[in-house]
Amino acid sequence: MKFTKLFATVFASLVAANSVAFAAADDMATMKARLDEMEKRLSDVETQNILQNVIWSGVLINRYEHFTNNNMTSTDTLDGYSTAVAINGDFTINEKTKVYTTIAMSKFWNLEGRNESWPNWKKSEEGSYQMNGSAPYFDRAYLAYKFDIPLTFSIGRMPTNNGMPINQLDGIARQGTYPRFAYNAIFDGAALSYDFKLPEGHTLSASFFYTPWVNVDPYDRTHQWQDTNNGNYKTGTTPQYTFLADYAYTGSSLFKKFSAEYMWYNYQNFYWWGDNPSSPKTANNNQTITGGPNRYDGTANMLYLGLDDIAMTGISGSVSTQLYGSHYVDGNPPKDTWASSYLFSLSKAFGANGRTIIGAEYINTDKYYYLDESAALELIPFYSQPNSKGYHIFATQRLTNNIGLRMGYYRLITKSDTDAAISAADYNSYYAHLRVDF
């Protein structure tokens, strides 16, 4: 009897203990589920907050170009079908700081693995515009910080390509910082920009850019590049200094907008690294340099003037001028050259909201003219060829606010010049260019 009571007591105690344990386990499971749910909700909130601080946009371009290059000894005829896409992500870090990014690619249809850009500084300036294939590039990746005064500091890979008047061809807003006739290339560096607070209708900004080329050996980051022509190592960097003044006026009844840009840049001891390297590297693991001269100084003054919607007729026009000088350090003897060149643009918008645009461009370049036309999808070297004259006629139809079809024709004649090592050529190109902004 005593044993039965003892057994009953022990059994009841075990049952009570297990019940408590099961209850505790159930409470723990419930608590964990609630914590998981709270964590998920917090993650969702954080994700929503992040997404609210990001602006996504992009552009998709499909292009056909029939290009003929007649250099008086042979003729190349190309039918170039290509696609280019760019995705922009603009991130707001806080009220003073933003990060801007663009990831992009361009390619000919059903063709991968091209490698048209050499030397390596040219690859950097072209980015996704190398038409190498479907592998993406970062064409833009920079931070912008606004001070309490109207001063902005930017650093990284900046939007120095696709400047005015490129946007006028498609009837879209301004895309890039540098005027196209000064540079159409992507640069890495740092910049300070001051926004002068002018009366209503006037805007004026002044920017200073520091964009150094880093002369590090392409196979070993512990070495500088070596110039085998004179046996000396190159300087560690080739700095370029740029000043840009940008003015606009929108307060007149005679036109919608007047724009003026002045740009000056200067660099010294820039290494071209030869035209056709005979070997990717020498025995001491440094790049072989061939051709010449390899080293030169450069400076340029560029002015852009533009009027939009003159007398409310839909007519817009612009003129770009460039004065470019080079000092060939490795020339024998050293050589100085100067070049003055011009680009004129005229267009007229028709219809509701100016959705139909017809226009023309005319270019005249000196024999010593130089332009880094690195961010281009055209096959024809219309904007970069020295000692040339040519014209471009085009018609653009905005199918919707975000879709535009442009069709046009280029003609460019290059004259030969022995002193500048230029061969005669006759270029022709007609194209269709479908752009979708999203």
Side-chain angles (χ1 to χ4, degrees):
M1 186 68 177
K2 290 181 179 180
F3 175 79
T4 303
K5 288 182 178 181
L6 178 61
F7 177 80
T9 302
V10 172
F11 180 77
S13 299
L14 291 173
V15 171
N18 285 333
S19 298
V20 172
F22 286 139
D26 183 61
D27 289 342
M28 291 295 293
T30 302
M31 184 179 296
K32 185 178 183 304
R34 289 178 179 175
L35 288 173
D36 289 343
E37 179 64 23
M38 290 176 63
E39 185 177 357
K40 181 178 181 301
R41 291 181 179 180
L42 286 173
S43 298
D44 291 342
V45 170
E46 290 175 354
T47 301
Q48 290 175 4
N49 288 337
I50 292 173
L51 291 176
Q52 288 175 356
N53 292 329
V54 181
I55 299 176
W56 296 100
S57 63
V59 58
L60 174 66
I61 295 173
N62 283 284
R63 182 181 176 90
Y64 167 74
E65 183 173 355
H66 178 80
F67 170 63
T68 302
N69 173 12
N70 183 356
N71 63 9
M72 309 308 170
T73 59
S74 63
T75 300
D76 287 319
T77 301
L78 300 173
D79 287 306
Y81 296 87
S82 62
T83 294
V85 64
I87 307 296
N88 308 310
D90 301 341
F91 299 81
T92 298
I93 309 303
N94 54 49
E95 61 181 8
K96 292 185 177 182
T97 311
K98 291 186 177 182
V99 171
Y100 299 91
T101 63
T102 297
I103 188 169
M105 74 91 187
S106 65
K107 70 184 299 293
F108 292 106
W109 287 4
N110 304 306
L111 183 60
E112 290 279 341
R114 299 181 66 253
N115 189 23
E116 73 177 23
S117 295
W118 193 91
N120 291 344
W121 61 265
K122 188 69 171 176
K123 291 178 181 291
S124 179
E125 290 186 9
E126 289 195 359
S128 71
Y129 291 87
Q130 297 174 54
M131 304 287 284
N132 286 355
S134 56
Y137 291 78
F138 272 97
D139 285 349
R140 194 175 60 141
Y142 74 99
L143 175 146
Y145 178 84
K146 290 187 176 181
F147 295 90
D148 293 331
I149 60 175
L151 181 69
T152 301
F153 171 72
S154 303
I155 187 168
R157 191 156 172 79
M158 293 183 286
T160 51
N161 57 309
N162 290 329
M164 295 193 297
I166 291 178
N167 58 300
Q168 296 176 5
L169 300 179
D170 294 308
I172 57 178
R174 177 179 175 174
Q175 303 292 294
T177 306
Y178 288 178
R180 110 162 285 165
F181 213 54
Y183 265 119
N184 186 28
I186 304 169
F187 281 92
D188 308 321
L192 280 173
S193 180
Y194 187 85
D195 184 7
F196 295 89
K197 298 300 181 181
L198 300 183
E200 185 177 357
H202 300 266
T203 61
L204 174 63
S205 65
S207 303
F208 176 79
F209 296 83
Y210 173 66
T211 53
W213 288 278
V214 180
N215 299 322
V216 65
D217 186 280
Y219 303 98
D220 186 346
R221 69 177 70 179
T222 67
H223 286 283
Q224 297 167 248
W225 279 49
Q226 186 179 16
D227 188 340
T228 57
N229 281 355
N230 56 33
N232 297 325
Y233 281 97
K234 300 176 179 179
T235 55
T237 58
T238 298
Q240 175 173 282
Y241 303 98
T242 301
F243 173 77
L244 176 65
D246 192 338
Y247 172 77
Y249 175 55
T250 56
S252 175
S253 59
L254 300 178
F255 48 81
K256 183 177 180 180
K257 185 178 182 180
F258 167 72
S259 301
E261 287 185 292
Y262 167 74
M263 180 168 157
W264 167 89
Y265 68 78
N266 179 270
Y267 53 82
Q268 294 185 342
N269 270 340
F270 179 82
Y271 293 88
W272 187 273
W273 306 332
D275 296 325
N276 296 294
S278 59
S279 171
K281 58 181 177 178
T282 60
N284 63 354
N285 206 36
N286 291 305
Q287 180 75 29
T288 295
I289 308 299
T290 62
N294 296 305
R295 195 167 39 129
Y296 61 93
D297 307 333
T299 189
N301 290 273
M302 187 272 172
L303 179 65
Y304 168 86
L305 300 173
L307 284 172
D308 294 346
D309 200 4
I310 302 171
M312 310 307 168
T313 60
I315 297 175
S316 299
S318 69
V319 56
S320 302
T321 66
Q322 186 207 85
L323 179 64
Y324 177 78
S326 284
H327 172 66
Y328 291 79
V329 179
D330 292 330
N332 189 18
K335 183 179 180 181
D336 293 320
T337 65
W338 286 94
S340 58
S341 303
Y342 308 89
L343 173 67
F344 299 93
S345 177
L346 185 67
S347 64
K348 178 174 174 55
F350 298 89
N353 300 319
R355 287 195 169 187
T356 302
I357 304 170
I358 60 171
E361 294 181 303
Y362 173 78
I363 194 169
N364 187 338
T365 62
D366 198 300
K367 66 179 181 179
Y368 293 118
Y369 163 77
Y370 177 75
L371 176 70
D372 266 353
E373 176 71 355
S374 300
L377 298 177
E378 296 91 357
L379 299 182
I380 187 171
F382 183 79
Y383 302 97
S384 59
Q385 188 76 352
N387 211 39
S388 301
K389 294 181 181 180
Y391 62 88
H392 168 213
I393 56 175
F394 64 92
T396 301
Q397 178 63 51
R398 303 297 302 177
L399 305 177
T400 68
N401 290 335
N402 298 329
I403 303 176
L405 174 63
R406 171 162 47 97
M407 303 180 71
Y409 172 73
Y410 286 102
R411 178 72 187 278
L412 186 70
I413 304 295
T414 300
K415 293 183 178 181
S416 64
D417 189 280
T418 304
D419 187 46
I422 298 172
S423 300
D426 185 350
Y427 300 99
N428 288 270
S429 175
Y430 58 82
Y431 69 90
H433 182 99
L434 180 64
R435 177 187 176 110
V436 181
D437 292 275
F438 56 91

